Amino acid sequence: MKTFHCNCCSHLVFYENVRCERCESLLGYVPELSEISAFEDAGDGQWRSLHPKSDGALFRQCHNYAVENVCNWMIPAESPDQLCRACQLTLTIPNLSAPDNRVYWYRLEMAKRRLLYTLAELGLDVKSRQQDPEHGLAFEFLEDGGDGAKVLTGHDNGLITLNIAEADDAYREKVRTAMGEPYRTLLGHFRHETGHYYFSQLVEDNPRWIEPYRKLFGDETVDYGEALATHYRDGAPADWQTSYISAYATMHPWEDWAETWAHYMLIVDVLDTSTSYGLALLPEDPSEPTLNDRTPVEDASFDNLMKRWFPLTYVLNSLNRSLGMADAYPFTLATPVVDKLRFVHRVIAAAGDTSQPREAAAPAGGEAAPAPTPAPTPAPTPETAPVAAAESAPVADAPVVADAVPPVANEAPPQAPAPMPAPAPVENTAPPVEGAPVNDVPVANPAPVPAPTPAPAPAPIAPQ
């Protein structure tokens, strides 16, 4: 994630901000520019961008920004859309009549927008189901039912389902501990599940990639159900760290790919952030790790990324330990894992913008097979796996890194609930009644619940 500034007063702002803390200008993300812009009120619900690249263009707030307070993306004023590009991807939102669900929805959307930013920076096109009914990407944010039905986080032919309980920090930490995972985040789930999606789009039916994939990851035609049962019965091999990024990656070649894809997303996102902030490592002792390369990640070769990654993780882990916290990047990258990451890099380079000089890449050899229209609530399939850490692999002393940024001031989400001693998914006596937009018009809740008044923003810790 790169740095952003208010175009009105030049104050440093962040990707999630909705208002400048210094001059109080409205802020919004303009995907056409890949920039946060400050805006001035132009009347009639329109806002004039103050960003120098916009030439004073007029925009409107996404419905979920102006009304629901869970978004900060803008829409061109002339567009007929009610929802921004990011919100159009969400087919089903949580039932907002249930306690805390609006908070969870906000957190899910925030993580999803960070993922979309990274995908765009890598030149990976993301189309909605409205744009491409067969190959489009879509999300459902569901909760466990009152009848005992459980929602499994997973992917099914382009439809990614996330259990909203994962947006409850206390619940997610409880699951992480129970499963022995060192790392479990909402953003990690999004990265992992989109890895499944892009496997079907870029690799599965592509003769250029499928055989090299099988040499590195294994035969994906192996029965998924049997592999799943074996994994949860026997666990991962004792020596899994010599060949896999996580214990869960050992379960099936599909999961190995998704875990590796998610880890590549983590690496480029963190390096993008550190590069944008001008982070450099210039130790007095020449034998210590150094870092002064600021090549943009979208232009960097894989070897360049790895050369910068290890010094950065070493320092960030050391910083975390000085804070009395666990390693932010609890992973080791064995040679086979690096080879798999290199393969993901090559696939993305071939699929992304051809102007990106990362590696020579021939055109993709085939188009992904059409996917059937998913049911509103997909049942688990070979591509719908139980909730698992998208980026998990325990190693205590491994080099470290995580995408840590200063607290975002005035995000304006609803007040988060206090952590529960033994949290459990909120049971809903009926299916989620808040639907995703149909033809870009939000489906109203039969019993609308007014959005809670945002709590006063905490005292900002903002750069001066």
Side-chain angles (χ1 to χ4, degrees), residues 131-396:
Q131 294 172 303
D132 188 345
E134 291 187 326
H135 305 112
L137 182 63
F139 297 88
E140 288 191 322
F141 302 147
L142 307 178
E143 62 186 319
D144 293 342
D147 58 357
K150 300 295 182 182
V151 172
L152 299 180
T153 292
H155 167 263
D156 183 15
N157 294 318
L159 179 64
I160 292 174
T161 301
L162 279 91
N163 189 322
I164 67 169
E166 289 290 337
D168 180 335
D169 295 338
Y171 170 86
R172 192 175 62 254
E173 177 64 14
K174 180 181 178 182
V175 174
R176 186 196 68 78
T177 302
M179 297 185 70
E181 301 166 354
Y183 193 87
R184 188 183 187 91
T185 66
L186 272 182
L187 184 53
H189 283 309
F190 278 99
R191 288 168 173 159
H192 176 99
E193 299 306 336
T194 53
H196 287 300
Y197 170 71
Y198 279 103
F199 176 80
S200 68
Q201 298 301 298
L202 304 178
V203 177
E204 188 172 42
D205 295 323
N206 190 328
R208 179 187 178 190
W209 297 125
I210 191 62
E211 288 307 319
Y213 161 84
R214 288 171 178 164
K215 290 180 180 178
L216 287 170
F217 295 88
D219 183 2
E220 82 288 355
T221 64
V222 170
D223 186 87
Y224 186 92
E226 291 182 7
L228 183 69
T230 300
H231 177 79
Y232 283 107
R233 182 186 68 242
D234 302 334
D239 63 346
W240 63 263
Q241 292 175 345
T242 63
S243 300
Y244 297 91
I245 190 60
S246 71
Y248 188 65
T250 67
M251 195 265 283
H252 188 277
W254 277 337
E255 301 304 338
D256 193 9
W257 162 268
E259 290 282 271
T260 306
W261 173 280
H263 207 87
Y264 181 82
M265 293 287 115
L266 182 153
I267 289 172
V268 297
D269 203 355
V270 174
L271 282 174
D272 187 34
T273 302
S274 65
T275 301
S276 181
Y277 278 82
L279 181 63
L281 306 178
L282 304 172
E284 293 182 1
D285 186 343
S287 67
E288 295 180 3
T290 61
L291 176 63
N292 54 21
D293 189 328
R294 298 188 61 186
T295 305
V297 294
E298 63 269 21
D299 296 331
S301 69
F302 180 77
D303 289 337
N304 177 275
L305 294 175
M306 289 296 99
K307 181 179 179 181
R308 296 153 63 190
W309 183 238
F310 292 111
L312 183 59
T313 58
Y314 172 80
V315 170
L316 289 179
N317 268 359
S318 298
L319 288 172
N320 254 37
R321 294 179 186 188
S322 295
L323 290 169
M325 300 176 66
D327 287 356
Y329 182 75
F331 305 93
T332 52
L333 301 181
T335 298
V337 175
V338 174
D339 291 340
K340 293 173 186 177
L341 288 166
R342 184 186 299 275
F343 180 78
V344 171
H345 177 92
R346 294 180 62 217
V347 171
I348 291 174
D353 187 348
T354 56
S355 68
Q356 298 172 2
R358 290 176 286 179
E359 286 188 33
E367 184 179 356
T373 302
T377 305
T381 68
E383 293 172 281
T384 306
V387 177
E391 298 146 350
S392 57
V395 172

